[in-house]
């Protein structure tokens, strides 16, 4: 009884309330800012920028959560059915990374492909436990509308871009093909994934917020309907990049639950998903049409046939643990086959497979692919059971929209190559639906309480753990910041016309983050350029030529060490 009173007093402290605000603020900002965020300052593209921002907010949330536990005297961890599968997946990734053909790339990610490394998997896991242990029905709504707001801004901005209305005063955005997701195929995937969320926002706003006044309700409903129409208009304009069956499947899932009366919806509001379904069917039947010629750049990806062939050859070479996380470029180069060299894409090196299972089989082997499938099946079963047994009417529709979006993500992941932005969005939605399902699941999950008050020895051990976690967070944060600053210098080097200036910027990149092979390769190429310039000049200073050639060879060797 005394311990309970102490805990209640601690929970009322202003410090814990502030920490709660930081936790939910960090989570909400992840869902709002990460899909939107770009600066154009880095060489690796918008996906890399989103990942760095994601790392930043996750680490802030983790520190606030652990600090709150220290102030309260205990840290409560919710036990979930995914604990052991996730632990197994991380163990497989760690062993595979240690045995990888390129340990650096497996730990931090290959250049331009930062979402499939061991570090990314660890951060995704931290994000999962942060959300699972700090969410309730009220926070589900906050996160949902944070994401809807982000989606709405992306839809409006992308629509204006396609019509040549450039609202940002940044030169790199002045192209109709530019969008916050990074590619046109990625944009269409994102818009298709978000259709169920927008439809639920428009059709079920009254169920989600039963006490909302009529005027705000009407404004939100009309606004959401407009965003849906603009979303579909963009997909129609980008018809060549759009996979219509995935969009139709998501709407069919929503209509099945509505028409089966599993989730209540009024007859008037049912018109919204029905109209969306009919529009998608019309757009699908119209086939390969172009409303207007936007003169968009072509995008290429590895075929599923080639992806399967590479996966089979990679499994034969490394059946258990693969070549290492984030090393698909190696598997592609080694196992692409002679037939690929005769294709028009012979000079392109692909970093991603068309199909996540093919890529997992190649990079983390049969064990990694199996662990991923186990996690996927458990997630599907938990979400489906929560959906049909749910008791909270207010978030029932939100769970349905997330489930439909999650199915769409699975379709895209199994059939296509996903860029960094879409992988991150997939993680956000997957974690959101899982954590929301745990909140409303009929059977309550057990929790483990790590108490600082249990005994002096136990408290000392937990304090040591807290300090180690805090130190780890600081290290990860510092590393992420150095990676970002290094890539800013790399981007400046690419934009510079002066060779000496490019060399100077690349040296700064290497000084900040000496683990990126591409920086050394670019620097070696620039030293070669200096040597060629000197050789073609009138003076032909032999010492300068030899010096630059020596630097090029030395720097190139560092890239492959």
């Amino acid at each position: 009884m005394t311990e309970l009173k102490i805990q209640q007093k601690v929970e009322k402290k202003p410090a814990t309330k502030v920490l709660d605000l930081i936790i939910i603020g960090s989570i909400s900002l992840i869902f709002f800012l990460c899909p939107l965020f770009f600066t154009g300052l880095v060489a690796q593209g918008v996906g890399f920028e989103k990942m760095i921002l994601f790392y930043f907010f996750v680490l802030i949330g983790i520190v606030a959560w652990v600090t709150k536990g220290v102030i309260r005297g205990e840290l409560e961890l919710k036990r979930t059915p995914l604990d052991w599968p996730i632990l197994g997946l991380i163990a497989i990734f760690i062993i595979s990374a240690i045995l990888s053909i390129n340990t650096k790339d497996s730990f931090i990610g290959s250049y331009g492909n930062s979402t499939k490394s061991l570090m990314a998997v660890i951060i995704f896991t931290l994000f999962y436990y942060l959300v699972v242990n700090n969410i309730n029905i009220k926070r589900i709504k906050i996160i949902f509308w944070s994401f809807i707001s982000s989606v709405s801004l992306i839809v409006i901005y992308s629509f204006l871009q396609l019509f040549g209305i450039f609202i940002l005063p940044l030169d790199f955005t002045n192209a109709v093909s530019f969008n916050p997701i990074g590619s046109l195929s990625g944009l269409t995937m994102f818009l298709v994934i978000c259709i169920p969320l927008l439809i639920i926002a428009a059709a079920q706003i009254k169920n989600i917020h039963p006490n909302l006044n009529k005027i705000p309700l009407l404004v939100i409903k009309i606004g959401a309907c407009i965003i849906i129409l603009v979303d579909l208009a963009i997909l129609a304009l980008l018809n060549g990049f759009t996979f219509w069956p995935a969009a139709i499947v998501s709407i069919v899932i929503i209509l099945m639950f509505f028409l089966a009366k599993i989730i209540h919806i009024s007859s008037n509001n049912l018109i919204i998903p029905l109209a969306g379904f009919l529009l998608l069917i019309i757009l699908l039947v119209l086939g390969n049409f172009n409303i207007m010629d936007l003169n968009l750049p072509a995008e290429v990806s590895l075929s599923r046939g080639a992806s399967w062939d590479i996966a089979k050859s990679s499994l034969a070479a490394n059946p258990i643990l693969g070549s290492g996380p984030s090393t698909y470029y190696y598997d592609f180069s080694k196992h692409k086959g002679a037939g690929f060299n005769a294709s028009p894409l012979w000079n392109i090196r692909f970093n991603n497979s068309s199909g996540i299972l093919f890529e997992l089989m190649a990079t983390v082997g049969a064990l990694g692919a199996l662990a991923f499938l186990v996690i996927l099946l458990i997630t599907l079963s938990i979400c489906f059971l929560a959906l049909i047994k749910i008791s909270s009417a207010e978030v029932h529709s939100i769970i349905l929209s997330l489930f439909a979006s999650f199915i769409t993500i699975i379709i895209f992941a199994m059939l296509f190559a996903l860029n960094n932005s879409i992988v991150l969005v997939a993680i956000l939605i997957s974690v959101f639906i899982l954590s929301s399902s745990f909140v409303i699941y009929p059977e309550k999950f057990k929790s483990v309480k790590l108490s600082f008050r249990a005994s002096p020895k136990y408290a000392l051990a937990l304090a040591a753990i807290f300090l180690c976690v805090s130190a780890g967070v600081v290290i990860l944060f510092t590393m992420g910041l150095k990676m970002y600053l290094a890539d800013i210098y790399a981007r400046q080097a690419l934009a510079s016309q002066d060779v000496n200036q490019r060399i100077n910027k690349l040296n700064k990149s290497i000084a900040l983050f000496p683990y990126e092979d591409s920086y050394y390769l670019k620097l070696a190429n620039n030293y070669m350029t200096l040597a060629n310039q000197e050789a073609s000049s009138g003076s032909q200073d032999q010492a300068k030529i030899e010096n630059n050639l020596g630097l090029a060879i030395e720097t190139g060797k560092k890239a492959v060490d």
Side-chain angles (χ1 to χ4, degrees):
M1 180 66 75
T2 305
E3 185 175 336
L4 179 61
K5 288 181 179 179
I6 293 172
Q7 182 176 331
Q8 289 174 344
K9 287 180 181 179
V10 169
E11 288 177 346
K12 292 179 181 178
K13 283 185 177 181
T16 57
K17 292 181 179 179
V18 171
L19 291 169
D20 273 328
L21 288 174
I22 293 173
I23 293 167
I24 186 58
S26 298
I27 296 171
S28 299
L29 285 173
I30 285 171
F31 280 87
F32 177 71
L33 286 179
C34 285
L36 269 175
F37 183 71
F38 62 88
T39 65
L41 296 176
V42 298
Q44 295 188 55
V46 296
F48 176 73
E49 293 181 308
K50 295 179 194 298
M51 281 299 293
I52 294 296
L53 185 70
F54 176 74
Y55 287 176
F56 174 71
F57 281 118
V58 169
L59 295 178
I60 286 178
I62 290 292
V63 169
W65 177 37
V66 174
T67 305
K68 177 186 170 184
V70 172
I71 293 174
R72 291 181 58 195
E74 65 180 21
L75 185 65
E76 188 173 344
L77 297 173
K78 187 178 291 185
R79 294 289 306 274
T80 71
L82 285 175
D83 292 344
W84 287 110
I86 288 175
L87 184 63
L89 182 67
I90 291 176
I92 292 167
F93 264 73
I94 290 173
I95 298 171
S96 181
I98 293 171
L99 302 176
S100 171
I101 55 97
N102 191 326
T103 305
K104 289 185 293 185
D105 283 352
S106 292
F107 271 93
I108 63 176
S110 58
Y111 194 72
N113 198 16
S114 55
T115 55
K116 297 168 185 177
S117 64
L118 173 61
M119 187 168 73
V121 170
I122 291 172
I123 296 294
F124 291 152
T125 303
L126 291 175
F127 176 63
Y128 167 75
Y129 283 106
L130 174 67
V131 179
V132 164
N133 289 280
N134 292 281
I135 196 170
N136 53 37
I137 289 178
K138 180 181 177 181
R139 292 177 178 181
I140 290 173
K141 297 179 184 180
I142 293 172
I143 296 169
F144 177 74
W145 290 112
S146 297
F147 191 66
I148 290 294
S149 301
S150 181
V151 172
S152 301
L153 291 173
I154 291 173
V155 169
I156 293 169
Y157 177 76
S158 300
F159 184 75
L160 294 175
Q161 285 286 120
L162 289 174
F163 283 93
I165 303 173
F166 308 126
I167 59 176
L168 295 179
L170 301 170
D171 292 338
F172 71 92
T173 65
N174 294 342
V176 293
S177 60
F178 177 81
N179 63 79
I181 306 301
S183 67
L184 294 172
S185 57
L187 176 63
T188 58
M189 288 183 191
F190 177 78
L191 296 179
V192 168
I193 289 168
C194 295
I195 286 175
L197 304 173
L198 292 170
I199 285 178
I200 291 300
Q204 293 290 80
I205 178 66
K206 183 63 177 175
N207 293 69
I208 297 171
H209 297 284
N211 299 323
L212 196 65
N213 294 329
K214 287 185 178 181
I215 295 177
L217 186 148
L218 188 62
V219 170
I220 293 173
K221 179 174 288 190
I222 293 172
C225 288
I226 292 172
I227 296 298
I228 292 170
L229 291 175
V230 177
D231 186 312
L232 293 176
I234 296 172
L235 292 175
L237 289 169
L238 301 177
N239 177 61
F241 299 92
T242 303
F243 187 62
W244 297 106
I248 292 172
V249 167
S250 67
I251 301 300
V252 167
I253 292 171
I254 288 177
L255 286 172
M256 285 173 60
F257 278 85
F258 283 154
L259 296 175
K261 305 296 183 182
I262 297 175
I263 296 178
H264 173 73
I265 186 172
S266 66
S267 299
N268 292 334
N269 288 332
L270 187 60
I271 294 172
I272 296 174
L274 281 173
F277 175 71
L278 293 175
L279 282 172
L280 287 171
I281 292 294
I282 292 170
L283 292 170
L284 174 66
V285 173
L286 283 175
N288 190 20
F289 67 96
N290 288 313
I291 296 177
M292 55 187 295
D293 186 12
L294 296 173
N295 194 25
L296 299 170
E299 294 181 5
V300 296
S301 61
L302 193 61
S303 69
R304 282 185 283 278
S307 299
W308 170 235
D309 290 338
I310 291 169
K312 287 190 295 183
S313 300
S314 300
L315 274 178
N318 300 288
I320 308 299
L321 294 169
S323 59
S326 197
T327 59
Y328 189 77
Y329 61 86
Y330 167 81
D331 298 297
F332 169 76
S333 300
K334 186 175 182 180
H335 303 294
K336 61 184 177 181
F340 187 87
N341 292 329
S343 72
L345 305 177
W346 65 271
N347 60 339
I348 298 177
R349 188 180 76 166
F350 289 97
N351 289 329
N352 300 298
S353 168
S354 290
I356 186 66
L357 281 180
F358 298 151
E359 187 166 341
L360 287 172
M361 285 190 286
T363 56
V364 288
L367 275 182
L370 180 62
F372 173 80
L373 280 176
V374 169
I375 291 173
L376 180 62
L377 292 174
I378 293 174
T379 301
L380 280 171
S381 62
I382 290 171
C383 297
F384 182 74
L385 289 174
L387 198 54
I388 61 175
K389 295 180 179 181
I390 197 168
S391 58
S392 175
E394 292 184 14
V395 296
H396 206 168
S397 299
I398 294 177
I399 302 294
L400 174 60
S401 67
L402 291 169
F403 183 73
S405 294
F406 183 62
I407 296 297
T408 309
I409 288 169
I410 293 174
I411 293 172
F412 282 132
M414 293 299 175
L415 298 178
F416 301 99
L418 308 183
N419 67 17
N420 287 333
S421 299
I422 297 299
V423 171
L424 182 55
V425 169
I427 292 296
L428 296 185
I429 291 177
S430 302
V431 170
F432 190 16
I433 187 175
L434 264 172
S435 55
S436 301
S437 298
F438 292 145
V439 171
I440 50 83
Y441 202 79
E443 300 173 8
K444 296 301 177 184
F445 295 97
K446 294 180 180 180
S447 297
V448 175
K449 291 185 178 181
L450 305 176
S451 177
F452 288 82
R453 298 188 295 267
S455 69
K457 292 181 180 179
Y458 192 48
L460 188 63
L462 288 176
I465 293 171
F466 167 70
L467 292 174
C468 290
V469 169
S470 300
V473 166
V474 171
I475 290 169
L476 287 173
F477 176 77
T478 306
M479 183 180 294
L481 183 61
K482 290 175 69 176
M483 288 171 64
Y484 188 73
L485 291 175
D487 216 50
I488 289 176
Y489 283 121
R491 175 71 178 81
Q492 292 173 355
L494 286 174
S496 177
Q497 299 298 320
D498 182 75
V499 179
N500 289 304
Q501 206 170 34
R502 290 202 297 267
I503 290 173
N504 181 44
K505 296 294 184 183
L506 287 169
N507 275 318
K508 288 183 178 180
S509 294
I510 291 170
L512 279 167
F513 197 71
Y515 311 109
E516 192 58 72
D517 297 338
S518 65
Y519 295 159
Y520 291 101
L521 291 174
K522 290 174 183 176
L523 183 59
N525 287 332
N526 279 284
Y527 279 129
M528 283 295 296
T529 301
L530 272 184
N532 290 330
Q533 286 180 353
E534 185 63 33
S536 60
S537 66
S539 59
Q540 291 189 352
D541 188 328
Q542 194 64 28
K544 284 185 179 180
I545 296 173
E546 290 178 0
N547 181 54
N548 287 319
L549 286 174
L551 288 171
I553 294 170
E554 181 184 352
T555 308
K557 285 181 178 178
K558 290 179 180 178
V560 295
D561 285 344

